[in-house]
């Protein structure tokens, strides 16, 4: 690995250099990030405190980890962007940059694996209802989530390996608002053709293959609903549609960014904004608005809180 780099810090050019526009960026990121924290933490607290959702139901077990990964995924980017939007000097040290690459890809990959586990859960619940609770036991779900964490660690470690093996001699300006491997490759003073291929085969393959597998699995699930009752079809369809919306919103931008060679477009930053702070905000809204059990559990949670406050 090339650890003897001349570059010790990078300058993040951000979304804009205009002082007025930077304030607008701050306001947008602040409210989106605040909404992401509130929405996802509300789901986490609801699942942990509700007896109905806290029981060993795999769907809510996975939803808990999806909300957790959404919160951490957004936190790996948003706080730094908020500080930079108010600062004149937007530098980030080499080590901080590498840490951001690791955490961003770790929690992004974890979200992909959790979405796959949620699709598996829906397939088992709808297509194998008699064996559902036996196959998707709490122990099996815990092992699957543990495998997802390990897989995410392997993926993000590979990203770090690709970043550290390149020498950085200057310039040190990253034309982005956070550290990612693709903008870093442009600053390396070495041939990055092989690294670009490895990047596409790592991040690109995970995004594309996962997206295809997920969409194919939901096609099978929706096709199997023909054999269910009208009420069963309605409930399963509502759940699956919310999952499909989340999958499309998350994977669409990721496939666009990570499955092509080292070519940048002016829209890349705006697309990155959508999947770094937009999708984590939309996920809790989609899951709560389309899930009656979660909405009822939230109502009970808040009614209990209101009663306890009134008794004081």
């Amino acid at each position: 690995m090339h650890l003897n780099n001349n570059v010790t810090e990078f300058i993040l050019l951000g979304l804009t250099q205009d002082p007025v526009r930077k304030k607008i960026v701050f306001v947008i990121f602040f409210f989106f990030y605040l909404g992401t924290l509130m929405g996802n933490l509300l789901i986490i607290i609801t699942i942990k405190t509700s007896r109905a959702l806290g029981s060993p139901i795999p769907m809510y077990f996975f939803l808990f980890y999806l909300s957790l990964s959404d919160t951490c995924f957004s936190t790996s980017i948003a706080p730094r962007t908020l500080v930079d939007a108010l600062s004149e000097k937007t530098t980030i040290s080499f080590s901080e940059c590498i840490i951001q690459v690791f955490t961003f890809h770790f929690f992004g990959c974890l979200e992909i694996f959790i979405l796959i586990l949620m699709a598996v859960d829906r397939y088992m619940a709808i297509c194998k209802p008699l064996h559902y609770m036996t196959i998707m036991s709490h122990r099996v779900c815990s092992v699957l989530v543990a495998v997802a964490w390990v897989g995410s660690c392997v993926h993000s470690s590979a990203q770090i390996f690709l970043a550290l093996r390149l020498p950085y001699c200057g310039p040190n300006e990253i034309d982005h608002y956070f550290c990612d491997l693709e903008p870093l490759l442009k600053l390396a003073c070495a041939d990055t053709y092989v690294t670009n291929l490895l990047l596409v085969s790592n991040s690109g393959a995970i995004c594309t293959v996962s997206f295809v597998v997920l969409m194919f699995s939901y096609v099978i699930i929706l096709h199997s609903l023909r054999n269910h009752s009208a009420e069963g079809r309605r409930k399963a369809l509502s759940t699956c549609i919310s999952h499909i919306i989340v999958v499309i919103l998350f994977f669409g931008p990721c496939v666009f960014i990570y499955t092509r060679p080292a070519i940048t477009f002016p829209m890349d930053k705006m697309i990155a904004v959508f999947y770094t702070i937009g999708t984590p905000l939309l996920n809790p809204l989609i899951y709560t608005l389309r899930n009656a059990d979660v909405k009822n559990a939230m109502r009970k949670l808040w009614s209990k809180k209101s009663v306890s406050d009134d008794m004081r």
Side-chain angles (χ1 to χ4, degrees):
M1 292 185 187
H2 296 276
L3 296 177
N4 297 320
N5 297 312
N6 294 332
V7 175
T8 57
E9 64 179 19
F10 297 105
I11 299 171
L12 293 169
L13 297 182
L15 290 164
T16 178
Q17 292 294 300
D18 181 77
V20 177
R21 290 181 179 176
K22 283 177 79 171
K23 288 182 174 63
I24 295 171
V25 168
F26 174 84
V27 172
I28 292 170
F29 266 74
F30 176 79
F31 283 109
F32 270 63
Y33 182 54
L34 184 64
T36 298
L37 289 180
M38 289 176 65
N40 284 293
L41 289 175
L42 182 59
I43 288 179
I44 289 170
I45 293 167
T46 301
I47 291 173
K48 278 296 179 185
T49 56
S50 170
R51 288 184 180 179
L53 304 184
S55 58
I57 301 174
M59 184 171 73
Y60 301 117
F61 180 76
F62 294 136
L63 181 57
F64 171 86
Y65 283 101
L66 181 70
S67 294
L68 181 65
S69 62
D70 265 335
T71 303
C72 296
F73 178 68
S74 188
T75 301
S76 69
I77 303 296
R80 175 84 208 189
T81 306
L82 288 170
V83 172
D84 287 346
L86 297 178
S87 307
E88 289 185 15
K89 189 181 180 183
T90 56
T91 58
I92 183 169
S93 70
F94 185 84
S95 58
E96 286 176 325
C97 186
I98 295 300
I99 290 169
Q100 190 174 59
V101 172
F102 181 87
T103 54
F104 171 71
H105 280 273
F106 179 86
F107 291 109
C109 190
L110 180 61
E111 181 161 350
I112 288 173
F113 290 149
I114 296 297
L115 287 171
I116 291 173
L117 294 180
M118 292 178 85
V120 171
D121 170 65
R122 288 302 84 204
Y123 173 80
M124 291 298 177
I126 294 168
C127 301
K128 309 282 184 183
L130 297 177
H131 307 287
Y132 174 58
M133 292 310 294
T134 305
I135 296 171
M136 300 299 290
S137 65
H138 186 71
R139 183 181 177 183
V140 169
C141 292
S142 299
V143 170
L144 290 173
V145 169
V147 170
W149 282 79
V150 172
S152 302
C153 189
V154 171
H155 162 72
S156 46
S157 297
Q159 300 295 99
I160 296 302
F161 175 77
L162 292 176
L164 290 178
R165 66 188 293 272
L166 294 170
Y168 302 95
C169 320
N172 67 337
E173 290 185 343
I174 297 176
D175 188 18
H176 218 307
Y177 65 94
F178 65 92
C179 282
D180 199 4
L181 198 57
E182 200 154 309
L184 274 175
L185 293 182
K186 294 180 182 177
L187 305 182
C189 45
D191 183 21
T192 59
Y193 177 76
V194 175
T195 307
N196 267 307
L197 287 179
L198 293 171
L199 172 62
V200 171
S201 63
N202 184 5
S203 298
I206 287 175
C207 289
T208 307
V209 172
S210 299
F211 181 65
V212 171
V213 168
L214 281 166
M215 294 310 294
F216 184 69
S217 67
Y218 281 116
V219 167
I220 294 173
I221 291 169
L222 293 174
H223 184 262
S224 71
L225 288 178
R226 296 181 307 166
N227 304 322
H228 288 65
S229 64
E231 178 62 23
R233 270 201 307 270
R234 187 195 61 78
K235 192 171 182 181
L237 195 61
S238 177
T239 304
C240 287
I241 287 174
S242 64
H243 287 206
I244 291 168
I245 292 169
V246 168
V247 166
I248 292 171
L249 289 175
F250 184 77
F251 281 94
C254 289
V255 169
F256 179 79
I257 295 290
Y258 292 107
T259 55
R260 63 174 198 256
I263 302 168
T264 55
F265 297 111
M267 67 186 82
D268 283 358
K269 287 184 187 180
M270 293 312 299
I271 290 172
V273 168
F274 181 76
Y275 70 79
T276 54
I277 65 164
T279 306
L281 173 65
L282 291 173
N283 283 358
L285 292 174
I286 292 166
Y287 279 113
T288 53
L289 291 175
R290 296 193 65 88
N291 192 305
D293 292 336
V294 176
K295 282 193 285 188
N296 291 334
M298 284 183 177
R299 286 194 195 101
K300 288 177 183 177
L301 177 67
W302 284 106
S303 62
K304 283 181 184 177
K305 187 179 182 301
S306 300
V307 170
S308 63
D309 288 343
D310 292 339
M311 291 176 68
R312 288 177 184 174

